[in-house]
Amino acid sequence: MPFRNRTPVEGPFVMPTDLPPSHPPSHPPSHPPDGLSEEQAYLARARVELARMREHTLSMRAAGGDRVSDELLALTLQRRAAQLVDDPRSTLFFGRLDLERPVHPGSDPERWYVGRRHVNDEAGDPLVIDWRADLSGAFYRASRTEPMGVRLRRRFGVDRGQLTAYEDEHLTAPEPADVGRSRILADEIERPRVGPMRDIVATIQPEQDEIVRADAGTTICVQGAPGTGKTAVGLHRAAWLLYAYRGRLVRSGVLVVGPNRAFLDHIGAVLPALGEVDVRHTTIEDLTATVPVRALDRAAVAVLKGDPRMGELLERAVWSHVAHPTEPLVVPRGARKWRVPADEVREILGELRERQIRYGAARGVLPQRLAHRVLLAMELSGDSPDDRVQDAVARSTAVKAYTSQVWPALDPRQVLFELWSNPTALAAHADGLLSEAEQTLLTWSKPPRTKGSAQWTAADAVLLDELTDLIDRTPSLGHVVLDEAQDLSPMQLRAVGRRCSTGSATVLGDIAQGTTAWATESWAASLEHLGKPGAHVEILDRGFRVPASVIDYAARLLPSMAPGLGAPVSVRDNPGRLDVVRVAGPEVVTRVVQVVSTMAAEPGSLGVISPVGMVADLSTALRKNGIEHGVLGADHGDVDHQVVLVPAAVAKGLEFDNVVVVEPAAIAAHEPDTRTGLRRLYVVLTRAVSALTVVHSEPLPPQLAGPER
C-alpha cells in the first residue's frame, strides 16, 4: 500500500508524569501472574492510577506568565482532565502483548497492556499503553506468518467494565489443529448495545489498522460495503492522527462531515470515548450555511447547481466586476494633482489578475499599487516621498473611490442574485458553458426584488460558499473526515475540499449506497472535485457487522443498481437471522407491532425502518401497545430508546442489533427512479447487526423475490 509511512513527526500532549509513546521506560512494568483474578487486580490498579493522574491534572495551577497564557494553559489542563475520565462501563485495557525480546537490550522480555488511553504509575512507568502508540500496532497486525516480535497476544472478554475471560494466541508456537476465530473477538463485535455507536479499538482488523495509521499527509478514500466498519475506521483514524500529530492538528483543527444530524448523534460518542473531545461534527448543509435555506429546488435544477461547471460560471461572474478603465486616476495632494494614466491602471489590474489570488485579496493590494505609481510620478518631478506618503495616498479619498470604481467590493449574495434574476447577465457568463435550456432552468421565473428577500435553496447555499471563497480564501483545516461521500455533488465536494486544501482527508463511502440524483459513479471523479486527485482508494469488502444471511439477501439488488461492484462477504461465523413475512395490507401495522414486541424482549437496539408516510401510524400503534420508542429525523437522532422508528431516507450510516423493514417496495417507489429506489432499499436492508425481519403486504421488488421465511 502506498501509505505505509507510520512514523509520527509530533507526539501527543505529555503531562510531567506521562511518557511519550516513542520512548518506553528504562525498565518494564512488573509482570503480573497469568490468572484471571490477577488480571482483574491489575485492572483495578490501573483504574486507581488513572484517577490519580486526573487528580494531579486538576490540581495543577495554570501559571503561564500572563493572562492569555494562563487562559490557554487552563484550557489545555481542562481538556487533559476530560481525556482522563474513567468510563466504568468499559475496561482500561482490552489486550496484552508479550514480546519475544525486550524493547531495551539487556532487560527481560516485556509485557504491555493495550487500552483506550495511556495510564502510568506514580513513577512514570506505563501500566497501559494507548492503542494508538507505535507498539500497539502489533496487537492488530501481528500474525503467525508475521509475528512482529510478539510471542503471545491476549484478548480480554469484558462485561460492564469487568474482565470476564481471556484468550491467548501463541504466535511463535506451532499452530494447533483446532485453531479457529476468536470467540471473544466475535462476541465483542456482536455484543448488543443501546445508544450511540461505540468505538472498535478492541476489534480493529489488520486491513482497517493500515488505514487508521496512515500518516497525516495522506488522503485516503475508503470504498466500504455495509458492515465493513468504514465509518469507525474514519473516526479512529482521526483519533490516531490527533495522537501522533497533536501539536499540528490541534492548531489547524479536525472536522467530521456526515450526511445528517441523526447520523452525527449516532457517531458522536466515539471520539470522546477515545479521549478526543474537541473534534467538530457537522453536516454539509451546516458547513455551507451561508444563508437561511427557505426553498427547495426541483431535482433537475438541484443537479445542475451541483454540476462542476458552476465553479467556472461563478468565477467568470466574480471577475467580470473588474472594470476596464478609460479614465486616469487623479490624486489631489497639496496644490498639485497627480495622475496615473488609464493604460497604466489597466496594466496593474492585469498583473493582479495574473497572480491568481482571491478577488478580495487583489482588491486589498490595489490601493498600494496605485499609490506606488503616484509615488514614482512624485520622484520623477523631483520630490522625495517616503513610505508614509505612499500609505497616505493609498488611504486617500481619491484612491479609495477609484478602487471602488474599477475593482468594487462584492457580496456573494448579490453576485448570485444578479445571475438568477437577470437572464442577460447569466447568458453573458454562461456563454459556451451552459445551454439555453440550462440557463432557463437556473433563472428565477419571478425574481425577488432584492437579495435579502430571495428564497435561497440548499444548492444555492453551496454556490454562495463557492463565491465566498472566490472573494476571500476559506481557511484550511488539518484533516477532514467525510462520510457518505458518494452522495455529494461536485460543488459540495469542492466546498469540503476547501476545508482541507492544505491538509488531508479521509473519504468514506459506498458507491452502491448512492441515493442522491447526483451520486457519484467514480471515486476518481469525486477525488478530483475534492481537490485530491490521485488519492489512494482502499476497498473494504469483508463484513464484520452485517451477518451473512442479511448481506446475501441485500446483495441480490447489486446487479440491478450497481453493476460491476463486487458483493460484500460476511466473515462472521454467526449467519444471523432473516425473516421475510407477507401479510394482508390492513395487517401490516399490527404485525409490525407484534414483531417489535417480540424482538424488544431481546437485548440490543431495534430499528424499525419504514416509508416516511407510515412513521406516524407506526408510532401511534407502538404507543398504544405500551412500547416506548424514539423517532429519528434528518435534523435529530435518538440515543436513549431501545426501539427507534427511522424514516427510510434517514437510515444511511446507522446500525441496530435488530431491524424491522416495513414495505420495501414502497420504500423503493418513493425515490425518483428505479436505480435510486433499489439503492435506498439496499441501504435499509443492511442496517442489521444480528437479525432482520421484513414485513410487507405489497409484492417485493423482483430482485428480492423468493421463498418467504
Side-chain angles (χ1 to χ4, degrees):
M1 298 171 66
F3 50 88
R4 288 190 179 276
N5 178 11
R6 298 288 181 267
T7 304
V9 297
E10 302 174 30
F13 174 77
V14 179
M15 296 300 293
T17 56
D18 289 346
L19 289 169
S22 57
H23 296 82
S26 57
H27 56 280
S30 59
H31 292 185
D34 283 342
L36 182 60
S37 60
E38 286 78 10
E39 299 283 27
Q40 292 168 335
Y42 193 82
L43 172 61
R45 178 189 172 198
R47 288 194 188 279
V48 170
E49 293 296 345
L50 180 65
R52 178 196 55 77
M53 291 170 63
R54 187 167 189 271
E55 287 301 318
H56 176 72
T57 300
L58 292 172
S59 69
M60 296 183 71
R61 186 171 66 89
D66 56 69
R67 184 179 62 81
V68 174
S69 298
D70 288 351
E71 291 177 355
L72 289 174
L73 183 55
L75 180 60
T76 300
L77 291 172
Q78 290 172 9
R79 289 172 175 167
R80 176 62 173 170
Q83 292 171 339
L84 295 173
V85 173
D86 188 9
D87 183 355
R89 297 168 299 179
S90 65
T91 59
L92 293 181
F93 56 82
F94 45 80
R96 195 183 93 187
L97 292 174
D98 292 4
L99 305 185
E100 285 191 286
R101 299 180 182 84
V103 172
H104 294 279
S107 60
D108 295 331
E110 297 176 7
R111 176 173 296 171
W112 301 90
Y113 286 79
V114 180
R116 286 172 175 79
R117 56 179 58 83
H118 179 93
V119 181
N120 57 256
D121 63 19
E122 199 162 5
D125 291 331
L127 299 178
V128 182
I129 60 173
D130 196 298
W131 67 275
R132 298 168 288 187
D134 288 348
L135 182 59
S136 299
F139 181 79
Y140 301 109
R141 298 199 303 274
S143 65
R144 290 181 178 274
T145 56
E146 190 176 351
M148 301 176 67
V150 176
R151 177 178 60 83
L152 178 144
R153 173 168 51 207
R154 174 168 289 184
R155 299 183 190 274
F156 293 101
V158 179
D159 183 29
R160 292 185 289 274
Q162 297 300 315
L163 301 180
T164 59
Y166 63 79
E167 290 177 348
D168 288 343
E169 293 177 80
H170 297 272
L171 300 183
T172 57
E175 184 174 353
D178 60 347
V179 67
R181 290 196 179 98
S182 166
R183 183 68 257 168
I184 284 178
L185 187 63
D187 288 346
E188 175 61 23
I189 291 175
E190 299 170 20
R191 178 161 55 93
R193 61 149 182 84
V194 174
M197 179 181 178
R198 58 177 182 251
D199 66 68
I200 64 166
V201 288
T203 61
I204 293 174
Q205 299 298 296
E207 64 266 36
Q208 296 173 330
D209 192 62
E210 285 283 346
I211 298 170
V212 167
R213 295 175 191 266
D215 66 70
T218 302
T219 291
I220 300 174
C221 175
V222 180
Q223 160 60 37
T228 55
K230 58 183 176 294
T231 295
V233 166
L235 295 174
H236 286 67
R237 186 183 183 211
W240 184 85
L241 288 171
L242 282 164
Y243 175 85
Y245 302 89
R246 185 169 302 279
R248 182 196 315 181
L249 293 181
V250 164
R251 290 191 301 270
S252 57
V254 175
L255 176 70
V256 176
V257 182
N260 53 56
R261 278 287 155 193
F263 173 84
L264 296 182
D265 286 349
H266 176 65
I267 69 169
V270 173
L271 287 171
L274 298 174
E276 303 301 341
V277 295
D278 293 322
V279 176
R280 180 187 168 203
H281 295 62
T282 190
T283 65
I284 186 65
E285 289 78 15
D286 290 341
L287 187 68
T288 57
T290 50
V291 292
V293 173
R294 297 173 178 155
L296 185 67
D297 280 316
R298 290 180 290 125
V301 178
V303 170
L304 181 56
K305 288 181 178 179
D307 191 286
R309 291 175 295 166
M310 291 297 105
E312 174 67 20
L313 175 70
L314 298 181
E315 185 173 7
R316 292 181 184 181
V318 165
W319 288 97
S320 70
H321 288 81
V322 178
H324 186 79
T326 57
E327 297 295 329
L329 165 65
V330 180
V331 181
R333 188 166 177 82
R336 300 191 61 177
K337 292 183 179 180
W338 303 94
R339 285 176 169 80
V340 178
D343 60 334
E344 291 189 24
V345 175
R346 291 194 297 270
E347 179 184 342
I348 293 172
L349 300 185
E351 291 173 354
L352 289 177
R353 293 194 62 165
E354 289 175 0
R355 290 176 62 182
Q356 296 184 338
I357 59 178
R358 295 300 193 271
Y359 180 95
R363 185 179 188 275
V365 171
L366 180 58
Q368 284 289 344
R369 298 294 298 272
L370 294 172
H372 182 68
R373 291 299 177 98
V374 172
L375 211 67
L376 293 178
M378 291 179 178
E379 291 173 345
L380 288 174
S381 70
D383 288 352
S384 301
D386 56 19
D387 290 345
R388 290 174 297 177
V389 174
Q390 179 171 324
D391 290 340
V393 172
R395 295 192 302 268
S396 67
T397 301
V399 170
K400 287 182 178 179
Y402 194 83
T403 297
S404 296
Q405 178 183 346
V406 300
W407 203 300
L410 295 183
D411 177 355
R413 294 182 302 163
Q414 185 63 35
V415 175
L416 197 60
F417 173 81
E418 291 171 357
L419 284 175
W420 294 173
S421 60
N422 187 339
T424 303
L426 177 60
H429 302 311
D431 183 37
L433 196 64
L434 302 176
S435 68
E436 290 186 8
E438 289 174 322
Q439 294 175 39
T440 301
L441 280 177
L442 292 173
T443 52
W444 285 321
S445 57
K446 295 181 179 179
R449 296 183 61 185
T450 65
K451 64 185 180 184
S453 60
Q455 300 292 301
W456 302 111
T457 66
D460 289 331
V462 176
L463 298 181
L464 289 169
D465 186 79
E466 178 91 12
L467 283 166
T468 300
D469 181 71
L470 286 168
I471 297 170
D472 294 298
R473 184 183 297 275
T474 302
S476 175
L477 298 165
H479 192 79
V480 173
V481 178
L482 173 61
D483 209 343
E484 304 297 349
Q486 75 281 346
D487 278 336
L488 268 60
S489 71
M491 295 305 292
Q492 289 173 323
L493 288 166
R494 287 167 65 100
V496 175
R498 286 191 283 278
R499 271 75 181 184
C500 56
S501 58
T502 60
S504 59
T506 303
V507 182
L508 311 167
D510 180 9
I511 289 176
Q513 297 185 57
T515 53
T516 56
W518 45 80
T520 189
E521 296 296 329
S522 163
W523 285 123
S526 291
L527 291 168
E528 185 80 29
H529 298 314
L530 191 70
K532 305 294 182 182
H536 176 73
V537 178
E538 182 73 10
I539 297 175
L540 296 180
D541 56 8
R542 294 204 306 154
F544 305 100
R545 300 292 294 169
V546 182
S549 61
V550 173
I551 198 64
D552 291 347
Y553 182 68
R556 298 180 189 179
L557 301 171
L558 285 173
S560 300
M561 51 88 167
L565 199 64
V569 178
S570 176
V571 297
R572 286 166 46 180
D573 292 329
N574 183 353
R577 191 177 77 233
L578 171 67
D579 296 303
V580 182
V581 182
R582 184 169 188 176
V583 297
E587 299 175 9
V588 170
V589 173
T590 301
R591 179 57 67 91
V592 169
V593 171
Q594 293 172 350
V595 172
V596 170
S597 180
T598 300
M599 298 181 79
E602 303 173 5
S605 56
L606 172 56
V608 182
I609 307 177
S610 75
V612 64
M614 293 187 67
V615 170
D617 290 342
L618 288 169
S619 181
T620 299
L622 292 174
R623 190 166 51 249
K624 285 182 177 179
N625 284 271
I627 301 176
E628 293 187 6
H629 61 280
V631 180
L632 297 192
D635 60 346
H636 68 278
D638 186 303
V639 296
D640 299 321
H641 292 89
Q642 178 192 15
V643 179
V644 181
L645 274 174
V646 186
V650 184
K652 188 170 293 182
L654 308 180
E655 66 176 21
F656 305 92
D657 294 300
N658 303 300
V659 170
V660 179
V661 173
V662 186
E663 295 291 17
I667 290 174
H670 186 73
E671 301 299 328
D673 57 74
T674 300
R675 189 197 70 164
T676 304
L678 293 179
R679 288 186 169 189
R680 179 73 68 192
L681 188 53
Y682 180 73
V683 170
V684 165
L685 292 173
T686 53
R687 301 304 95 198
V689 174
S690 297
L692 169 65
T693 299
V694 177
V695 180
H696 68 105
S697 62
E698 300 178 19
L700 293 172
Q703 295 85 348
L704 297 178
E708 307 294 356
R709 285 169 285 187

